Amino acid sequence: MLLFVAFLSINNGPLFVKQRTGRPFLLAHRGVAQTFDTHGLQNDTCTAERIYPPEHSFIENTIPSMQEAFRLGADMVEFDVQPTRDGKFVVFHDWTLDCRTNGKGVTREHTLAELKQLDVGYGYTADGGKTYPLRGKGLHMMPSLDEVLQTFPDKAFLIHVKSNDPEEGRQLAQVLSRLSAAQQCLLTVYGGDLPVASFHEQLPGIRVMSKETMKSCLIPYLVLGWSGYVPPACQNTELHIPEALAHWFWGWPGRFLERMESNNTRVIIVGGDGSEFSSGFDTPDDMKRLPSDYNGWIWTNRIDKIAPLSKKENSEWYRHCA
């Protein structure tokens, strides 16, 4: 028993783990975005109606928002996609248009041309509708997926499929299959189990993540990871690890990161226990909770606050994609 305990300690501890240096990698959720009160949120809550007083004029999921996020130091930007009636994709979060825009109805029931006429800043208010500080500032700014990929051919993105429709995954795979191998290497797709599975079937070389891929990797790892075993399902994927649960994974952080990276798997630590709405590392105090030697990826909703706290090492992590 003593020998076994010693083996567990050595095999999953920091001894013999290559020393990790440099800052954490930064994933900017929706670029530079307006933040909002997350208390009591439901899936259908209009978050644009509960923003905090704006500290900047950037609007999530727009090209200026992404440009600013990369300028500040983001290593990757997350954005949402919705299909259009004419077979395209727009970069937009909501299933419907009524919350954020001056449009009405289901997003996917409109053409790309119709959606690009809208004002994506129309519905934002911090005072219960007395004023709308971003109204008029998002006119014609809902970008297509093609526009984003053409504007940032050498930048990394996490693309969020917002439905659980397998056809949407196949459609997205057709779009991304037209890109060069170098640009595909910079992309990851996540979302519902069915579209992610159909996407992965079409484009197995691009990293993916869904609840199903997470479970397929992490449940076997919890059982056998003490031995150093990494399940095949962990290969070439992405893992979003809630901060409160991270210590349960064998070898966290250094050995765990080392094992996953050797399988071409990206690990992103998110805030809380996984039950909160898009919780991230958004304040200096949040950053202090990270292990001192952690230089993996972190999810942040406030790239404008977090990037200035980080040194600039590791900014070219994606060089192997060229």
Side-chain angles (χ1 to χ4, degrees), residues 140-283:
H140 311 305
M141 284 180 60
M142 187 187 299
S144 69
L145 173 61
D146 289 338
E147 284 180 282
V148 171
L149 297 175
Q150 291 165 9
T151 302
F152 305 99
D154 59 347
K155 297 297 185 183
F157 290 106
L158 174 60
I159 302 173
H160 190 186
V161 179
K162 298 294 293 183
S163 79
N164 199 31
D165 181 358
E167 182 56 36
E168 196 168 325
R170 286 187 283 269
Q171 182 184 341
L172 181 59
Q174 291 177 358
V175 173
L176 301 190
S177 69
R178 299 194 289 265
L179 303 176
S180 68
Q183 190 168 8
Q184 288 181 11
C185 184
L186 296 168
L187 305 178
T188 303
V189 172
Y190 82 121
D193 291 338
L194 296 181
V196 166
S198 63
F199 175 90
H200 188 62
E201 183 178 341
Q202 299 290 318
L203 279 181
I206 292 182
R207 283 190 183 95
V208 295
M209 190 199 81
S210 67
K211 288 183 179 178
E212 182 59 35
T213 65
M214 289 268 289
K215 289 190 295 184
S216 297
C217 167
L218 292 177
I219 292 176
Y221 184 81
L222 282 170
V223 176
L224 297 172
W226 57 268
S227 67
Y229 172 75
V230 178
C234 295
Q235 294 180 1
N236 196 38
T237 186
E238 181 164 296
L239 302 172
H240 290 189
I241 307 295
E243 175 189 9
L245 304 181
H247 67 281
W248 289 103
F249 295 102
W250 296 103
W252 179 264
R255 186 77 71 179
F256 180 81
L257 293 177
E258 189 177 79
R259 288 169 179 164
M260 294 303 161
E261 288 168 0
S262 68
N263 284 271
N264 198 35
T265 289
R266 181 185 298 120
V267 176
I268 298 175
I269 186 170
V270 300
D273 60 3
S275 63
E276 298 178 44
F277 185 89
S278 300
S279 180
F281 290 81
D282 301 335
T283 69

